[in-house]
């Protein structure tokens, strides 16, 4: 297997483990809660501690990789995630579970951005689209494979195996990483910005945690608003601080690059809309249509088939049409398929739902591959660690915001209709709201230069020809005389 294929698969192994783990747990929550003697509501609050840990430690990932080497940090991150998984499987109380999830979050915070950094520093930019297509698959497959897998394990085995299946996957990832990934390390690591890390950690933790629990009835709305407010204030202070330091943990100056700006802002809006799908669709199928968790998971798994089908075509499509055209049109197309979920009713054939999810997954996979690749097109090699950290934070906030907006839309519809019980008809407005937000991302992609991302797409840059030299006065006079003669003779 070529290096361009092997390294993305190694990184994808770790990302798949992380993405699948978070969605498998949601399906098995009642069984876990009953076994450790608590309520599902309390356990949901404990699970969000993972998101809090993730948000707090991601900003430190770039500096850590530069200081200790991306290969070593990536391998240790997998090991830490495995330790947290074992801790979850051995938990006998909510406290044990919370501590184990925090450990998992610490490992996950290093795995995702450092894994991308390994990829960026190991693969030439000309082959980056293909590499990102392979790495993007876990982010799409994990959330849809998780529910049926979680339902199967809980039904036929015990919930402990949900976490223990991470161990062989993690061991394989560590062995492959140590064997095939070069020991990449920065020669001149920057000074660690501890004050900035505290501000960014509090800010991102407050915002991500607040958005994650918003609309889930886990905490009072006043507490949720306070969390988001404190997080926003802390992030504002961080932005002020970042302008005064030479080595910020989150470098917002990268947004000056047109491709990075489009990937961050447009990508946030697109992920917000699409990121709500794994939250809204299972609720619609299980609560609205009355499907079992296992059957619901098998239906939603259809979108993974579309995602897998796209990975071999993404590079060719982007090379043919360019990032700007593809991302603008595809953002609208993907949003249309998201909005189509609003038309699903109890009488809609499951086969039709699955077909729409397959085709929608195809276009969503293309868009995620383009967004993930475009972000690094203009970034200099010495700034790659900062770029991967910024992109990872943006993705985490987008997913949290997507769940919050989806939940808030459903609750608002319930309030307007004066009902307290969920039904299938209450989900349609939520799908429309998130699809509109996702569609708006097309504007930011259209604003890019025509040849945006040509460094990684394989499509040539647009060369603007210099203006022609003005003709000499004698040549101009001779031309005018010849034209006048031709007109007279004609």
């Amino acid at each position: 297997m070529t290096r361009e294929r092997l390294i993305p698969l190694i990184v994808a192994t770790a990302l798949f483990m992380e993405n699948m783990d978070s969605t498998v747990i949601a399906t098995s929550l009642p069984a876990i809660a009953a076994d450790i003697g608590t309520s599902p509501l309390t356990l949901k609050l404990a699970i969000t501690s993972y998101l809090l840990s993730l948000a707090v430690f991601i900003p430190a990932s770039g500096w850590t990789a530069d200081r200790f080497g991306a290969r070593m940090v990536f391998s240790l991150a997998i090991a830490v995630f495995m330790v947290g998984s074992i801790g979850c499987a051995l938990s006998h109380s909510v406290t044990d579970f919370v501590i184990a999830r925090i450990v998992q979050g610490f490992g996950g915070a290093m795995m995702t951005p450092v894994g991308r950094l390994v990829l960026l520093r190991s693969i030439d930019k000309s082959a980056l689209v293909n590499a990102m297509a392979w790495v993007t698959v876990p982010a799409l497959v994990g959330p849809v494979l998780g529910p049926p897998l979680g339902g199967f394990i809980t039904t036929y085995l015990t919930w402990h195996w949900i976490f223990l299946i991470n161990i062989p996957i993690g061991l394989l990832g560590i062995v492959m990483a140590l064997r095939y990934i070069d020991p990449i390390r920065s020669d001149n690591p920057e000074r660690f910005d501890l004050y900035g890390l505290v501000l960014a950690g509090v800010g991102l933790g407050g915002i991500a945690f607040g958005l994650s629990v918003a609309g889930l009835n886990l905490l009072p709305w006043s507490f949720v608003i306070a969390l988001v407010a404190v997080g926003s204030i802390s992030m504002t202070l961080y932005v002020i601080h970042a302008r005064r330091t030479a080595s910020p943990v989150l470098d917002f100056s990268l947004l000056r690059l047109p491709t990075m700006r489009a990937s961050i802002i447009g990508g946030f809006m697109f992920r917000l809309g699409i990121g709500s799908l794994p939250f809204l669709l299972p609720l619609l199928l299980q609560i609205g249509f009355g499907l079992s968790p296992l059957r619901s998971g098998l239906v939603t798994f259809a979108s993974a088939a579309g995602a897998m089908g796209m990975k071999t075509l993404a590079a060719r499509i982007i090379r043919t049409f360019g990032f700007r055209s593809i991302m603008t049109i595809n953002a609208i197309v993907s949003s249309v398929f998201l909005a189509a979920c609003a038309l699903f009713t109890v009488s809609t054939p499951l086969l039709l739902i699955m077909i729409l999810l397959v085709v929608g997954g195809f276009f969503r996979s293309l868009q995620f591959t383009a967004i993930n690749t475009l972000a690094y097109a203009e970034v200099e090699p010495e700034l790659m660690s900062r770029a991967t950290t910024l992109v990872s934070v943006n993705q985490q906030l987008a997913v949290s915001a997507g769940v919050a907006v989806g939940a808030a839309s459903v609750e608002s519809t319930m309030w307007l209709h004066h009902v307290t019980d969920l039904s299938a008809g209450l989900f349609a407005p939520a799908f429309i709201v998130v699809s509109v937000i996702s569609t708006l991302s097309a504007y930011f992609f259209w604003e890019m230069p025509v040849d945006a991302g040509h460094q990684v797409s394989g499509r040539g840059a647009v060369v603007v020809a210099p203006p022609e030299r003005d003709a000499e006065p004698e040549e101009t006079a001779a031309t005018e005389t010849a034209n006048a003669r031709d007109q007279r003779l004609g």
Side-chain angles (χ1 to χ4, degrees):
M1 186 177 293
T2 63
R3 181 183 180 84
E4 286 74 16
R5 181 68 54 81
L6 182 61
I7 291 180
L9 286 178
I10 296 173
V11 175
T13 300
L15 302 188
F16 174 76
M17 180 172 62
E18 180 186 0
N19 279 279
M20 187 179 66
D21 184 87
S22 58
T23 51
V24 168
I25 295 174
T27 306
S28 307
L29 203 62
I32 300 174
D35 194 50
I36 65 177
T38 187
S39 67
L41 192 65
T42 303
L43 198 60
K44 271 191 177 181
L45 184 57
I47 288 178
T48 54
S49 61
Y50 173 83
L51 297 174
L52 180 62
S53 178
L54 204 66
V56 169
F57 291 112
I58 280 179
S61 60
W63 179 87
T64 306
D66 283 344
R67 177 65 179 82
F68 301 103
R71 182 182 69 175
M72 183 58 64
V73 173
F74 181 66
S75 301
L76 288 175
I78 298 176
V80 170
F81 191 86
M82 290 166 55
V83 170
S85 298
I86 295 173
C88 288
L90 299 177
S91 296
H92 296 288
S93 67
V94 175
T95 303
D96 296 341
F97 200 77
V98 169
I99 295 174
R101 289 294 285 173
I102 289 175
V103 173
Q104 270 193 318
F106 177 70
M110 296 293 165
M111 270 199 311
T112 303
V114 177
R116 287 201 181 94
L117 183 60
V118 166
L119 188 70
L120 292 166
R121 288 183 172 172
S122 305
I123 303 296
D124 188 77
K125 279 191 174 184
S126 61
L128 195 56
V129 176
N130 263 327
M132 279 295 181
W134 284 92
V135 172
T136 301
V137 171
L140 295 166
V141 174
V144 292
L145 180 61
L149 182 62
F152 177 84
I153 290 176
T154 306
T155 303
Y156 297 104
L157 300 172
T158 66
W159 64 267
H160 305 83
W161 287 99
I162 289 174
F163 302 100
L164 295 179
I165 59 176
N166 289 332
I167 307 307
I169 300 175
L171 288 174
L172 176 63
I174 291 174
V175 171
M176 298 291 285
L178 293 177
R179 182 171 181 178
Y180 294 107
I181 295 177
D182 295 331
I184 308 162
R185 180 183 299 186
S186 175
D187 296 330
N188 298 303
E190 299 173 330
R191 182 181 62 85
F192 185 57
D193 182 19
L194 179 60
Y195 179 63
L197 177 64
V198 172
L199 287 177
V202 172
L204 294 172
I207 295 172
F209 187 74
L211 292 176
S212 298
V213 298
L216 300 180
N217 295 321
L218 299 180
L219 295 172
W221 270 104
S222 57
F223 191 75
V224 173
I225 294 173
L227 279 173
V228 176
V230 171
S232 300
I233 293 172
S234 184
M235 280 305 298
T236 302
L237 294 175
Y238 172 77
V239 171
I240 297 173
H241 163 76
R243 293 176 178 176
R244 302 172 181 173
T245 182
S247 54
V249 291
L250 292 177
D251 190 0
F252 292 113
S253 68
L254 291 172
L255 296 178
R256 296 172 184 171
L257 303 175
T259 49
M260 175 63 82
R261 184 169 60 251
S263 180
I264 291 293
I265 301 177
F268 180 89
M269 299 183 71
F270 183 79
R271 289 181 188 278
L272 188 153
I274 302 300
S276 64
L277 186 62
F279 168 75
L280 291 174
L281 191 58
L283 285 178
L284 173 63
L285 296 175
Q286 293 179 37
I287 298 177
F289 297 172
L291 300 183
S292 66
L294 181 58
R295 197 177 179 193
S296 166
L298 292 174
V299 172
T300 57
F301 181 70
S303 61
M308 294 292 289
M310 169 53 73
K311 73 180 188 301
T312 57
L313 300 175
R316 191 178 307 169
I317 294 173
I318 293 173
R319 182 170 58 251
T320 302
F321 300 101
F323 279 103
R324 181 175 180 251
S325 299
I326 283 297
M327 296 178 74
T328 302
I329 297 172
N330 197 48
I332 298 173
V333 173
S334 300
S335 301
V336 169
F337 279 96
L338 177 60
C341 296
L343 303 176
F344 296 163
T345 64
V346 178
S347 59
T348 304
L350 290 182
L351 179 60
L352 177 59
I353 294 177
M354 294 178 71
I355 291 174
L356 290 174
L357 292 177
V358 167
V359 180
F362 183 86
F363 290 105
R364 286 191 294 273
S365 177
L366 173 61
Q367 195 73 358
F368 282 135
T369 299
I371 291 172
N372 290 338
T373 310
L374 180 71
Y376 308 105
E378 298 177 279
V379 179
E380 298 297 328
E382 62 272 13
L383 297 177
M384 280 298 182
S385 59
R386 295 189 186 185
T388 56
T389 302
L390 186 62
V391 169
S392 296
V393 165
N394 182 68
Q395 291 179 3
Q396 181 58 43
L397 289 178
V399 172
S400 299
V403 173
V405 171
S409 300
V410 173
E411 282 206 341
S412 299
T413 306
M414 293 174 65
W415 179 76
L416 289 173
H417 288 81
H418 305 288
V419 296
T420 56
D421 296 326
L422 281 175
S423 62
L426 298 174
F427 287 88
F431 282 115
I432 297 299
V433 169
V434 295
S435 65
V436 168
I437 295 175
S438 184
T439 303
L440 294 176
S441 67
Y443 169 76
F444 296 96
F445 301 134
W446 180 251
E447 274 198 324
M448 294 189 299
V450 176
D451 60 349
H454 65 86
Q455 301 91 335
V456 294
S457 67
R459 184 179 173 88
V462 175
V463 179
V464 179
E468 295 182 1
R469 182 177 61 86
D470 292 338
E472 294 296 330
E474 293 82 358
E475 295 175 352
T476 303
T479 301
E480 291 175 353
T481 302
N483 289 340
R485 183 181 63 251
D486 292 340
Q487 290 176 4
R488 186 170 58 255
L489 292 174

